[in-house]
Amino acid sequence: MAPALGILGGTFDPIHYGHLELAREAMAAAGLAGVRLIPAGDPPHRGAPVASAIQRLAMAELAVADYRGLAVDPREINRAGRSYTVPTLEELRAEDPLRPLALIVGADAFLDLPTWHRWRELFDLAHVIVVARPGTAFDGTLSPELAAEWDRRCRAAPDALAAAPAGAIVQVAITPRPIAATTIRAALFRGDTAAVRGLLPPAVLAYIERNRLYRPGQDAT
């Protein structure tokens, strides 16, 4: 079976090197065919983004230009309603029923998985790659229902992702990068452009400056 296609969702408000390097490292560590970054149109787990959906999509497209294997998928922005992950995976699965899919989530997001819409169906549609700092463990922190899925599905080797279209959980370690979109927005709100240089691609910063995003008058939180 072919290598899995990685799926990384997020608000990307704005997209930064933390997102991009996470996708790149997960792709390399898990042997993925590529990673699709999917900006949420109407994210269900947080407040309304500061930048518009079209602006966040444009920034994501600029950001991946220099990253081989990364691409942007606009389907959640083009689809009306809340940007739930299960309908997105259903669409991708319908396009190619046999291709392995791998949903990439951070360790914190994985812990919250039982709060997601139709979360148990995720495993019928895709594998789950949990990205964490080296040495991170979930001993004693998983809810009973998530622990049951972990014990049933966790695989030690990423090779499991190419063996079936969906259903496995694989953990990969990535390089810690303490970059947060909230910190970037707060610095831009203060007019401190110098503080964010090196945290996001120059083309994205130029787009932000050109469109006067994250300035006073917009919510920087």
Side-chain angles (χ1 to χ4, degrees), residues 1-5 26 29-32 98-103 126-129 155 157-172:
M1 193 168 286
L5 174 66
L32 303 177
L98 296 180
R99 175 178 55 188
L101 299 174
L103 179 67
H127 303 296
V128 175
I129 297 175
R155 303 290 183 269
D159 293 351
L161 301 176
I169 299 173
V170 171
Q171 185 175 9
V172 300

Side-chain angles (χ1 to χ4, degrees), residues 39-153:
D42 184 2
H45 294 289
R46 53 151 290 170
V50 177
S52 72
I54 297 302
Q55 289 168 334
R56 291 182 291 109
L57 177 62
M59 287 188 283
E61 290 173 339
L62 289 169
V64 302
D66 294 329
Y67 278 80
R68 185 176 181 180
L70 304 191
V72 178
D73 188 324
R75 71 181 65 231
E76 289 189 358
I77 285 175
N78 294 337
R79 189 175 69 222
R82 285 295 183 108
S83 298
Y84 293 117
T85 301
V86 166
T88 297
L89 294 177
E90 287 176 328
E91 291 175 5
L92 289 165
R93 176 59 59 216
E95 292 170 7
D96 191 339
L98 296 180
R99 175 178 55 188
L101 299 174
L103 179 67
I104 302 169
V105 298
D108 292 344
F110 181 75
L111 293 175
D112 288 338
L113 215 61
T115 69
W116 289 27
H117 178 66
R118 299 164 58 191
W119 74 278
R120 292 187 187 278
E121 297 176 46
L122 293 169
F123 300 110
D124 296 326
L125 298 164
H127 303 296
V128 175
I129 297 175
V130 184
V131 292
R133 294 183 177 88
T136 298
F138 295 112
D139 296 343
T141 60
L142 298 178
S143 66
E145 54 191 349
L146 189 56
E149 297 292 348
W150 177 272
D151 291 341
R152 175 186 172 194
R153 301 178 182 278

